[in-house]
Amino acid sequence: MTPGAARAQDPVDWTPATLARLEVWVARAREDALPVLDTGPLQKAQARGDAHAVSQAATALALDLARMQLLGAAGAGQRAGWHIVDTDGAVDLHERLARAVSLDVLDSFFSGLQPHSDQYAALRRAYASEADPERRLTLARNMERWRWMPQSLGSDYVLVNAAAFEAELWRQDRREGTWPVIVGKRSTPTPVFSARITGVILNPWWVVPASIVREKHGVFPARLGYVRSGGQVRQKPGPGNALGEMKLDMPNSFSVYIHDTPSKDLFAKDVRAFSHGCIRIGDALGFAAKVLGGEHDREKVDTIVAKQETTRLTLEKALPVYITYFTAGTDAEGRLRFYPDLYKRDRRTGDPNSGGNACNG
């Protein structure tokens, strides 16, 4: 038996008052688009008057509910393709539960496990009043996705929502700006993952991925700035470069980056799915200046770009970036929005009310 499993067997001193609050929270699960758990084992233990069995059943029930609140109800199949590590999995829920029961603060225990994002709170409010079954299911699925995210994203971070074609920069828990983005085509979807932005590269070279070399049958004209060296095809810096004039340095296993583009006209489209998976961002140099902060304002960024020399500017502190996929949420004005399920991922998420196993719609 592992240490964690052993701790889970330690008795928790439940009282009639805390048992009553547990039953209330179990019944409230539907408010968070979660399945209502079976209270039968607890009720049978109570009917027998077996204090030890009551403690075991109540603890198991509370921990099951806590895990759903904190980590989500979906199984591995429903989470397939979601590569953002949820650090909340390291939380010792048994210890927290035992303390909450002993102090009679079970309400704070369960409410504190819900996602801290304002987006989740808005989805939850909308879910409570939504009558349309399909919209209600979409809200439930996106509430579930927020449970897959870390409760704390950090005070400063970049969040990209591929379904909304938008990127946000947050500083000190405040949205500092929103930028339009172009994401992957349906055939080359942008993956869901997290990384850390360590710097900004101005006037970048573009190393053409092997898949694109094959797609283009190796035709890359020198007049467009392409050069071949070391078995690679690269494109020289410049406004016509496929990466534009800026690329974020954000190492990740998917080789997906946020960068500029020479095809500025595509930002006028409502559905912006044109890339091979990378994220092209509007007003890229303005975005870069905001990410850099400090002494590198927009004027200094423009001065560096004008020199047409590849320059890497290092961030004083690495900035988390989350590449996400939410098909419902609120915009910068707080209005509820539903976004197209570009990559047909909603069906895979299933219905959280049934534990994430039913794939509807």
Side-chain angles (χ1 to χ4, degrees):
M1 183 178 294
T2 65
R7 284 196 303 272
Q9 301 303 314
D10 293 342
V12 175
D13 296 326
W14 293 87
T15 65
T18 52
L19 286 171
R21 293 314 300 165
L22 173 59
E23 291 180 2
V24 168
W25 278 96
V26 169
R28 282 182 181 174
R30 291 289 191 201
E31 298 175 13
D32 287 280
L34 288 169
V36 175
L37 298 173
D38 180 15
T39 60
L42 175 58
Q43 292 171 350
K44 289 178 181 178
Q46 289 174 307
R48 294 196 308 270
D50 185 335
H52 179 69
V54 167
S55 176
Q56 285 190 319
T59 300
L61 180 63
L63 288 175
D64 284 346
L65 178 58
R67 291 186 191 100
M68 289 198 308
Q69 291 277 26
L70 183 63
L71 305 173
Q78 282 73 45
R79 299 169 190 259
W82 190 275
H83 301 288
I84 295 174
V85 176
D86 188 353
T87 53
D88 301 326
V91 172
D92 188 337
L93 286 173
H94 186 275
E95 181 195 4
R96 282 196 187 183
L97 173 65
R99 185 167 62 250
V101 171
S102 68
L103 297 174
D104 194 13
V105 289
L106 211 56
D107 290 347
S108 297
F109 168 73
F110 282 117
S111 63
L113 295 175
Q114 296 170 350
H116 294 170
S117 168
D118 290 342
Q119 287 284 331
Y120 181 82
L123 291 170
R124 192 175 188 270
R125 289 192 298 269
Y127 181 78
S129 59
E130 182 57 62
D132 180 81
E134 287 302 314
R135 285 166 61 97
R136 189 172 167 83
L137 182 55
T138 298
L139 292 168
R141 286 165 166 164
N142 286 280
M143 290 166 68
E144 175 71 0
R145 287 183 178 124
W146 274 108
R147 288 187 281 266
W148 302 347
M149 298 283 285
Q151 277 193 316
S152 175
L153 302 180
S155 62
D156 299 355
Y157 59 91
V158 171
L159 189 143
V160 176
N161 183 0
F165 308 107
E166 285 185 345
E168 299 173 343
L169 173 63
W170 288 75
R171 296 282 194 194
Q172 300 302 311
D173 297 315
R174 295 173 62 104
R175 184 191 288 110
E176 191 162 298
T178 302
W179 288 261
V181 299
I182 293 167
V183 299
K185 298 176 288 188
R186 288 184 175 89
S187 59
T188 54
T190 295
V192 173
F193 69 98
S194 57
R196 297 180 73 78
I197 301 167
T198 58
V200 172
I201 301 172
L202 300 176
N203 297 314
W205 280 77
W206 180 41
V207 178
V208 185
S211 59
I212 298 180
V213 173
R214 291 192 298 269
E215 180 184 316
K216 300 292 185 181
H217 304 291
V219 179
F220 293 91
R223 60 183 173 79
L224 297 180
Y226 292 104
V227 297
R228 295 175 183 272
S229 62
Q232 291 182 322
V233 178
R234 300 195 302 158
Q235 189 180 28
K236 297 176 181 179
N241 183 285
L243 300 181
E245 296 173 317
M246 185 281 293
K247 168 189 169 182
L248 293 187
D249 199 352
M250 44 179 279
N252 63 87
S253 61
F254 299 96
S255 297
V256 166
Y257 297 91
I258 298 174
H259 62 81
D260 187 17
T261 175
S263 303
K264 304 291 195 292
D265 57 308
L266 295 180
F267 289 107
K269 306 284 186 181
D270 291 329
V271 177
R272 298 187 289 274
F274 303 108
S275 82
H276 285 79
C278 280
I279 299 148
R280 309 172 193 170
I281 192 162
D283 184 25
L285 298 184
F287 175 72
K290 288 286 188 180
V291 166
L292 288 163
E295 63 180 31
H296 293 105
D297 57 17
R298 178 60 188 271
E299 183 178 354
K300 290 195 175 181
V301 167
D302 287 342
T303 299
I304 295 171
V305 169
K307 296 178 181 178
Q308 296 193 352
E309 297 176 356
T310 301
T311 304
R312 186 186 187 279
L313 303 174
T314 303
L315 269 63
E316 292 184 5
K317 182 180 179 181
L319 187 66
V321 55
Y322 302 92
I323 312 301
T324 68
Y325 188 84
F326 292 102
T327 53
T330 55
D331 61 18
E333 285 71 44
R335 295 170 297 195
L336 181 66
R337 300 289 192 189
F338 289 85
Y339 307 112
D341 184 13
L342 179 66
Y343 302 140
K344 306 302 179 187
R345 290 172 175 165
D346 273 358
R347 182 178 179 84
R348 179 191 301 159
T349 303
D351 182 356
N353 280 289
S354 58
N357 295 317
C359 294
N360 300 315

